[in-house]
Amino acid sequence: MMEWITPIVFILAGFLAGIIGEKVIFKKLERFVNNKQIAGGNIIFHSLRRMTFIWFVIAGFFWAILSSPIKPDIAIVLQKVLTIALLYSVTLVLGRLTAGFVNLFIRRAEGVPTSLISNLAKTTVLVLGTLIILQTVGVQITPIITTLGIGGLAVGLALQDTLANLFSGFYLVISKQVRTGDYVKLDAGQEGYVIDISWRNTTMREISNNVIIVPNSKLSSAIFTNYHLPAKEITLTMDVGVSYDSDLEQVEKVTVEVAKEVMQEIAPDLKESEPYIRFHTFNDFSIDFTLYMRVSEYFDQRIGKHLFVKKLHKRYQQAGIEIPFPIRQVYMQDNSAMEQN
């Protein structure tokens, strides 16, 4: 019985060291990195989460096996199991790191990353790591690769729809016709911000915060409008009419000034893009024109129109500019007088 005390001590020491390392040392290092705002620090610590505990426990069991009185052949088997567990945990960390840094690179290069690319990178690392683990423990991987290749044909035939969505997702990402963060309107009427492109679906969030799930194959073959391509900035147009008694030079001056005020509030970065108006119609009750004003993105049209209408109505009242409304004159015929004649 005494000969098992040392192995048990190693196991308990591994658990204790893992708890201290995870709860104390790891937490302090994570807070230090977050405070210093080190690039990629969050990714590294997210990838290593729980692994400190696992590695200490594996080390404790390893030394316990070396110091235990168990048979050599059983010890070799247990050591192989621990080696597999250690290598798989390292592979998992590398997969997390790969996915995290791929996301970081895409975010810096193009904006918001998609889970399709990061998951593909992570899966590739995990598959390669698994093959290396099998090779390390003495398993021949060549027959496995051959079997996977032959079985892949059968799986491909059985999962045609899934593979169609997968490759459609790659097409959408590579072609950059749709990117996460873009505001898209489909020909069927659905519209919203693209928040993710996964291996099967594209997820869109409506203005009302509802979520729309569109299969990648459907989106890749649909007719849609991307309001963020070729750029996010778009032109807001507003149709306005003024009375025939208005001074059109004054109307143009006041309207453009109001548009500049609105742009200063909602799109200060676009102030070099001067708003302008164009008169175009002698209507029944008014002279009509269209205002053209740049805003930062599609959704800003709503607040832009809201502010413009309020400010323009107030300024027109101050300047004595009338926005006419339809008037009808009705003439009544006196039929009684005609009957007496």
Side-chain angles (χ1 to χ4, degrees):
M1 186 63 184
M2 297 296 295
E3 59 190 5
W4 288 99
I5 293 179
T6 302
I8 293 174
V9 169
F10 277 124
I11 293 174
L12 294 177
F15 274 100
L16 182 61
I19 294 173
I20 295 174
E22 184 74 23
K23 299 296 183 181
V24 181
I25 301 175
F26 187 84
K27 293 292 184 182
K28 288 184 177 180
L29 288 175
E30 186 176 16
R31 283 196 294 269
F32 174 78
V33 170
N34 290 335
N35 292 334
K36 295 296 183 179
Q37 295 182 348
I38 300 175
N42 289 333
I43 298 173
I44 295 174
F45 278 96
H46 175 73
S47 302
L48 292 174
R49 193 175 302 278
R50 305 298 180 192
M51 292 302 168
T52 307
F53 175 78
I54 293 174
W55 289 339
F56 274 114
V57 171
I58 290 175
F61 274 101
F62 183 81
W63 286 105
I65 292 172
L66 292 180
S67 60
S68 65
I70 59 177
K71 296 179 180 180
D73 54 343
I74 298 177
I76 292 174
V77 172
L78 293 177
Q79 288 176 6
K80 282 189 176 183
V81 172
L82 292 176
T83 302
I84 292 173
L86 177 64
L87 292 176
Y88 185 78
S89 64
V90 172
T91 302
L92 187 59
V93 170
L94 292 176
R96 291 176 178 177
L97 287 172
T98 303
F101 281 107
V102 166
N103 277 340
L104 180 63
F105 173 77
I106 298 176
R107 186 181 294 111
R108 290 182 175 180
E110 301 180 9
V112 185
T114 63
S115 62
L116 177 62
I117 301 299
S118 60
N119 287 339
L120 175 64
K122 183 177 180 179
T123 302
T124 302
V125 172
L126 292 178
V127 170
L128 292 177
T130 302
L131 294 177
I132 292 173
I133 291 172
L134 294 175
Q135 185 73 28
T136 302
V137 297
V139 178
Q140 295 296 323
I141 63 173
T142 303
I144 297 176
I145 295 175
T146 304
T147 303
L148 290 176
I150 297 174
L153 296 176
V155 173
L157 293 175
L159 301 176
Q160 291 185 33
D161 292 340
T162 301
L163 291 176
N165 285 317
L166 176 62
F167 288 110
S168 296
F170 283 123
Y171 168 75
L172 292 171
V173 172
I174 294 172
S175 66
K176 298 182 181 181
Q177 294 178 346
V178 178
R179 304 164 301 181
T180 49
D182 288 355
Y183 192 90
V184 174
K185 182 175 182 180
L186 305 182
D187 56 348
Q190 298 90 348
E191 59 182 285
Y193 287 97
V194 177
I195 58 177
D196 189 26
I197 301 175
S198 66
W199 62 274
R200 183 175 178 81
N201 302 311
T202 296
T203 306
M204 299 167 54
R205 188 183 70 248
E206 294 181 308
I207 301 301
S208 59
N209 215 31
N210 295 323
V211 172
I212 302 172
I213 306 297
V214 184
N216 292 334
S217 58
K218 298 290 184 183
L219 183 60
S220 64
S221 60
I223 300 174
F224 60 86
T225 302
N226 190 334
Y227 290 99
H228 283 185
L229 289 179
K232 286 186 177 181
E233 299 84 5
I234 66 171
T235 299
L236 181 154
T237 60
M238 287 281 291
D239 293 323
V240 186
V242 295
S243 68
Y244 277 87
D245 296 331
S246 303
D247 181 350
L248 299 187
E249 294 295 334
Q250 183 189 23
V251 169
E252 182 173 9
K253 178 181 177 182
V254 171
T255 305
V256 171
E257 288 177 354
V258 171
K260 288 182 179 179
E261 291 178 9
V262 174
M263 287 185 64
Q264 184 62 33
E265 288 190 31
I266 65 173
D269 296 335
L270 302 178
K271 59 184 179 181
E272 70 279 358
S273 301
E274 293 285 335
Y276 59 93
I277 69 171
R278 292 293 182 265
F279 295 99
H280 55 73
T281 305
F282 289 102
N283 217 327
D284 294 338
F285 310 101
S286 62
I287 298 177
D288 296 344
F289 65 89
T290 301
L291 166 77
Y292 300 90
M293 177 176 64
R294 299 288 285 176
V295 293
S296 298
E297 63 165 308
Y298 178 82
F299 185 66
D300 287 344
Q301 289 185 107
R302 297 189 177 190
I303 187 63
K305 290 180 179 180
H306 170 76
L307 293 174
F308 180 74
V309 169
K310 286 176 59 178
K311 291 178 178 291
L312 187 67
H313 182 258
K314 183 177 181 179
R315 289 290 298 276
Y316 274 9
Q317 286 182 330
Q318 295 173 350
I321 300 173
E322 179 186 357
I323 300 177
F325 52 87
I327 300 176
R328 293 284 186 270
Q329 291 183 344
V330 180
Y331 296 93
M332 303 294 294
Q333 184 176 2
D334 189 354
N335 293 327
S336 61
M338 294 179 61
E339 291 175 356
Q340 290 177 1
N341 293 333

